[in-house]
Amino acid sequence: MSTRLYSVVIDCADHAAQARWWAETLGWSVTIDADDEATIEPNAATRNDLAVTFVPVPEPKQAKNRVHLDLGSPTRQAQVETVERLVERGAARADVGQAEVSWIVLADPEGNEFCVLAPDDRFDEAGALEAVVVDAVRPGLLARFWAEATGWGITCESHLVASLCHPSGDPPALDLIAVAHPTPGKNRVHLDVAPPASGDRDAEVERLSRVGARDVDIGQGQVTWTVLADPEGNEFCVLSPR
């Protein structure tokens, strides 16, 4: 048995509004709209059924997120048009020290950074979710852990970047990008993994612990999931089988 990457979870002040904004941004639908969470999922059938979930928290955003989303562009014109459209809807240009790069960094209405990429040869739908990006001090080593946690394959690896892809080849990818400093504390954006319906959460927690995860307490109390941290201290949750 193994776990699969189930969702990206984003802490929010107004989780319902954030879910609506990102659903329109990605062309997805809100599938859960509850007091304690809102979830969006792709409208079209995809073998990579990653969801994005928004949860309310009392703490405000204070620093650059260590996990963010990248949107794709088939052409330079599509990149410009996507940025213009998102700015009109409440996004803002953001400076995270990126200097001269081919992508454009924006922040959503609650200040969460994301990128609109220049054209590349991976995926070609304008504004689609192309990658989930995790900052990493050692991308290659962290990629090997996340390959174990997700069941995805490593498609490239260097000292600057490592990428994982869903077995189907469908987007988004999981990109690990080199940064100089380790995670400073609890992440505002994290990943959730889940065993299959026939799996065992405790067994998967034990398996992931053997390959570098560790237990962490972020004040979660009694919950139906287990909170772990990857080898670089990024929190993630192991959900109940599904």
Side-chain angles (χ1 to χ4, degrees):
M1 293 295 179
S2 63
T3 47
R4 64 185 176 95
L5 184 55
Y6 185 80
S7 61
V8 179
V9 181
I10 303 176
D11 292 351
C12 307
D14 187 339
H15 66 294
Q18 280 287 91
R20 292 191 297 270
W21 193 87
W22 275 101
E24 183 174 346
T25 295
L26 298 176
W28 292 13
S29 293
V30 177
T31 55
I32 298 175
D33 186 3
D35 291 340
D36 59 348
E37 74 171 84
T39 295
I40 64 172
E41 298 180 73
N43 290 326
T46 174
R47 293 167 292 180
N48 185 357
D49 56 352
L50 184 68
V52 180
T53 294
F54 304 86
V55 296
V57 299
E59 303 84 11
K61 182 179 185 295
Q62 296 182 341
K64 173 184 174 290
N65 289 337
R66 198 167 178 84
V67 181
H68 72 266
L69 306 180
D70 278 355
L71 309 187
S73 305
T75 65
R76 287 284 185 180
Q77 183 61 31
Q79 182 188 30
V80 170
E81 291 174 353
T82 297
V83 169
E84 291 175 348
R85 173 173 57 86
L86 295 176
V87 169
E88 288 177 357
R89 294 184 44 246
R93 291 181 179 266
D95 185 351
V96 293
Q98 66 267 25
E100 294 296 323
V101 292
S102 62
W103 56 89
I104 298 170
V105 183
L106 299 177
D108 71 14
E110 288 202 4
N112 298 299
E113 304 86 3
F114 66 99
C115 298
V116 180
L117 302 179
D120 62 28
D121 58 1
R122 290 202 299 184
F123 312 114
D124 60 2
E125 183 180 348
L129 181 57
E130 178 164 319
V132 178
V133 181
V134 180
D135 290 351
V137 175
R138 296 179 295 178
L141 289 177
L142 200 59
R144 290 193 280 279
F145 172 82
W146 279 103
E148 291 282 350
T150 62
W152 293 17
I154 299 173
T155 56
C156 75
E157 180 182 339
S158 73
H159 68 288
L160 293 177
V161 61
S163 294
L164 293 88
C165 186
H166 187 272
S168 68
D170 290 349
L174 180 62
D175 291 344
L176 306 163
I177 305 296
V179 297
H181 304 290
T183 181
K186 178 181 178 293
N187 291 334
R188 197 169 178 85
V189 184
H190 72 266
L191 306 180
D192 280 356
V193 301
S198 59
D200 183 299
R201 186 189 68 195
D202 292 342
E204 292 302 329
V205 168
E206 181 179 348
R207 180 181 68 85
L208 293 172
S209 297
R210 289 197 301 269
V211 294
R214 58 180 175 84
D215 290 316
V216 291
D217 185 348
I218 55 172
Q220 64 266 27
Q222 296 289 14
V223 292
T224 59
W225 56 87
T226 300
V227 183
L228 300 177
D230 72 14
E232 290 200 3
N234 300 299
E235 305 89 1
F236 68 99
C237 298
V238 182
L239 306 179
S240 56
R242 57 196 67 196

